[in-house]
Amino acid sequence: GYDDGIYASCRILKIMDESNKPLSVLLSKYPNRVSTNEIKIECPDELKFKVINILKIYVMNFVDYKKIIDLDGIRVQVTDTGWFLIRASNTSSYLSLRAEGADSDELDKLIGIIKNALASIDIVKLKIDF
């Protein structure tokens, strides 16, 4: 019930102690996932929120997706296990991207969707470095 790294670490240590199992064994029941690091794409401040809106429209019309959350940027659930997030930085002139999938094939598919979406935008030349 807390958003605190030290508290969470202590809880994990307590669970390990009480179960007498190493962390690797406790985590083995959860699936391994693959994800990107944070990817930053330069984008002028005056355009970045417009770009997010255009990307949302692109996804809604050209991507087979399960769910879109547009609370802070767009988070697109593409499959049961794969998603990507594109958001405008509030402090700098860039878009921030992340993606996560069940395996490297799914992650590659998600990155392809992101690249296609970004390539569809011609109002700004974005520096893309994946």
Side-chain angles (χ1 to χ4, degrees):
Y2 297 92
D3 184 17
D4 185 295
I6 294 173
Y7 177 77
S9 299
C10 290
R11 289 289 305 256
I12 290 170
L13 290 172
K14 181 179 179 189
I15 292 168
M16 290 170 56
D17 183 54
E18 290 174 352
S19 69
N20 202 27
K21 295 178 182 175
L23 185 59
S24 59
V25 171
L26 294 172
L27 294 177
S28 66
K29 65 182 176 182
Y30 299 103
N32 288 328
R33 311 274 297 165
V34 293
S35 62
T36 64
N37 293 323
E38 180 183 24
I39 300 165
K40 295 179 181 180
I41 299 175
E42 292 177 23
C43 184
D45 284 330
E46 64 273 9
L47 295 177
K48 60 188 181 184
F49 293 100
K50 291 177 186 175
V51 169
I52 295 297
N53 287 331
I54 292 168
L55 290 171
K56 178 182 172 187
I57 292 167
Y58 175 91
V59 168
M60 291 174 72
N61 288 291
F62 299 108
V63 174
D64 185 20
Y65 66 92
K66 292 186 170 282
K67 184 177 180 180
I68 294 177
I69 300 171
D70 61 356
L71 185 61
D72 181 25
I74 56 170
R75 184 186 189 282
V76 182
Q77 190 74 41
V78 178
T79 66
D80 289 335
T81 56
W83 59 268
F84 65 87
L85 169 72
I86 304 173
R87 61 179 298 278
S89 170
N90 288 320
T91 58
S92 299
S93 299
Y94 67 84
L95 303 176
S96 177
L97 314 172
R98 293 193 72 92
E100 180 179 294
D103 54 37
S104 59
D105 289 338
E106 184 170 50
L107 188 60
D108 289 344
K109 176 185 172 185
L110 296 168
I111 290 171
I113 292 170
I114 295 168
K115 285 183 176 181
N116 288 340
L118 291 170
S120 73
I121 299 173
D122 60 2
I123 62 168
V124 62
K125 291 192 185 284
L126 299 173
K127 185 177 181 180
I128 302 172
D129 184 25
F130 282 85

